[in-house]
Structures are given as structure tokens and as C-alpha cells.
Amino acid sequence: MLAEVQDYEEIIERVAALDIGKAELVCCARVPGEGSSGRRLQEVRAFPTMTRSLLEMADHLRCLGVTRVVMESTSDYWKPAFYVLEAAGFDTWLVNAKDVKHLPGRPKTDRLDAVWLCKVAERQMLRPSFVPPAKFRQLRDLTRYRVDLVTARTAEKSRVEKLLEDARIKLSVVATDIFGISGRQMMAALVAGERDPRVLASMARGRLRVKAATLQEAFTGFFTDHHAFLLRRMLARVDMIDVDIQALDAEIEKQITSFASAVERLDEIPGVNPVAARVILSEVGVDMSRFPTSGHLVSWARFAPGVKESAGKKKGKSTTGRGNPYLARVLGNAAVAAGKTDTFLGERYRRIARRRGRKKAVVAVGRSLLVVIWHLLADPEARFHDLGTDYYDRHRHQPDRVKRTAIRQLEALGYRVVIEPAA
């Protein structure tokens, strides 16, 4: 049975493609030839990647009447050319390098790469990658740098713990967080020259006071001036990172003020806090027209398994692939946090974790989070509504079937079951 499909063979009349390197790029432009012969004119030129040269390239492409410029996402080298052409008013496309593959045996040079990319682009055989608007790119720079600083702070704290272990100071065995108020005061005393375990243990605050005897044992070690020198530098580095994170938080809060409503609505999702909501907005933006359905957003974020099938058989494992690492990290943390709540998402996480493991549960709940996020951002009036922990029992299973299954299980254990309706 023949079915009608939406397939267009439209050729982009005036198109250009860039093969970008660090110091130089190759630009291939293809425009219609003179007359009605249908032949195409092609020009290939190399330009330095300095800003002045990029502006000259933009003027040259404008003179040729080019409307669309396509380039591969090569490291971060694509950004200067993309930003210049975007500001010049071109329809600028960033495409995944995996989508532009050469035929086997085809020679590979910068010139041939640019020509091939241009030919593929003019026949509309490519899909543009998602590049957020300039305002969200700035917000993304801030949130990503914040994530990097938190990672660096965690690494520095791990070095502190290793240094204390080297000095036979077992503070981390007694204190859950050695960087709490008590821990920082004790480490500051160590740096200042205090070595008496009793004096150090007496600095405990709160619930740590009841562990004074154990703390004395923990501080009985071999902490030298060498350890004090290193610990002083490590603690100073942690404090400097804390100051930088606070400055970033203030700048992020200032830039995201106009999207406070979106942050508030995302904050209602179990597992998503205001910090996570800001990261999500910086990665996906607020305009969901770029993603026609929630499935498009899930697929772009690589939270949907790929399909590989040949001869009616599925090949290999259905992996999701590698997507946006910053978005994946915040969704993974949100999924784990949601798994500890008494909500629909929490029950979904626990139900899948019991059957298929925690990693599968994180991906599944992350996908559900993306679906919820898409609906909240696509409709500014939408609010989060929890389905409840008994959603599957109420909607996925028929009550009569659940009742019969429960009766059979009890009868198999030797009980006689009498059903009486509740008052």
C-alpha cells in the first residue's frame, strides 16, 4: 500500500559551507549559473579565522547573495565564524560532524570537505543542531563554569582528606562532613600549630560533641609542619573557589531575573531545585518551538535509546548515546533526588531500580523529567501536578485483575480469602 510522505527536493539556490580549523577556514559557495542551463557556479576560498577576515568573508558571501551558511561543530573553533555570520543576518546552521560522512575511498582535504558539505547542504540533507540565543549562551557560560568550579572544589576537598589520611588523622571516620563548622575550626587549629588531641576534640560543635572520645583517637596521628603547609594552601584554595561560586550565583540570579517564573515552575518538579532549574534553562532555553514535541527534546538530550535494526533483528544494545554532559549531569542528580521522594517520579525510580538497576532508573526518570520540563516551558500557564505514587495501580492495572491476582497469591500460601466491601 502506497502512502504519501512529506519529501521535498528543493535545492537551496545560494548556499555556503565552511570547513573550520583553528587558524584558517575554507569556504565553499555555490550559486546558480547564468541562463537556464541549470548548472551551478562554485567558489572555494580560504580565510584566516581572525575577526577582520571573518567580517570580510561575511561581506563577500552577502555580495554573492548567499542565504544559508553551514558549518561543522569542530571543537570550539566554529564559534567565532558562527557568531559573526549570525550577527550579519545569515541563516547559520551548525551541523553534527557525524551527519556529514565521506563516501569510502574518497580523499579527504579541507577543500574537498568544504565542497562536500556545501553539496550536501544545498540538497537539504542535513539537520541543524540546537544553538541557543545569545542571552542563553551567556547564561550557559556562567552555569557551566559554576559546575566546573564545584567539581574543582570537590577535588580539592578530596585532596584535603587524603592529606589528613597521610598524617594518620582519621577525622573523616568520625565526622560526616569534615568541612563543616567543627571540621574547619579543627583544621584551622592544626594549621596554626595545635597538636593536642584533647584540645582539638574540644572544638566539636553540635552532635559531634558526643563523639569527643572518638575524636581524640582520630587526632592521634603524625601531623607535621609539612602537612600544615599543604593544608593551609588547600583550605585557601577551597575558600577562593567558594568566593567565586558566590559571585557566579549573584550574576546568574541577575541574568535570569526575566525568567523567574520558569525557574519557579521547574522548581516544583520533585528533585529539581532552583540551581538545577537555572542549569536546565541555560541548556535548553525557554522557547520550545525548536523542539516540536517532548520526544524531540528527549532525543536531542540523548535520553531516548537508539534503534539499530537489520533483517528484522535488533543489532547491539539500545544505548542512548552521548548528549549534553551538563544537562545529563543535572538530570541524573535530579532523578536520584526524586527517587527519595514520595511522588510519582520517586515511585517510578524505585520500581525500575528494583527490576533493572539504578542506572536504567536514572535514565528513565531523566526522560520523564524532560517530558515534564517540555510541557512546562511550552505552556507558560502550565503547573506541575504530581500523579501520585499509586498511579500505576490506578491506571495501568485493572482493579478486578489486581484483586484476582492477590486472591490467588494468598490461596497459594494456604489461606481462604473472603472478600467484603469496605464500609
Side-chain angles (χ1 to χ4, degrees), residues 182-237:
S182 300
R184 282 304 302 261
Q185 188 174 357
M186 294 170 184
M187 288 189 288
L190 283 172
V191 170
E194 183 60 59
R195 300 291 184 267
D196 189 347
R198 293 183 179 180
V199 175
L200 294 170
S202 65
M203 299 177 182
R205 298 289 182 270
R207 290 178 296 179
L208 201 59
R209 284 181 175 275
V210 299
K211 302 179 181 179
T214 310
L215 279 173
Q216 291 185 28
E217 291 292 332
F219 279 110
T220 303
F222 190 70
F223 193 88
T224 64
D225 293 340
H226 169 73
H227 296 111
F229 175 83
L230 291 175
L231 183 59
R232 181 183 294 107
R233 300 299 182 275
M234 292 177 183
L235 295 178
R237 180 62 57 84

Side-chain angles (χ1 to χ4, degrees), residues 335 348-350 352-353 356-366:
R348 176 172 171 79
Y349 177 90
R350 293 186 291 271
I352 297 176
R356 306 191 65 185
R358 294 182 180 179
K359 292 184 178 180
K360 297 285 186 181
V362 167
V363 176
V365 176

Side-chain angles (χ1 to χ4, degrees), residues 48-57 80 84:
T49 54
M50 301 298 179
T51 302
R52 182 177 299 178
S53 300
L54 294 178
L55 293 173
E56 293 176 359
M57 180 188 67
V84 168

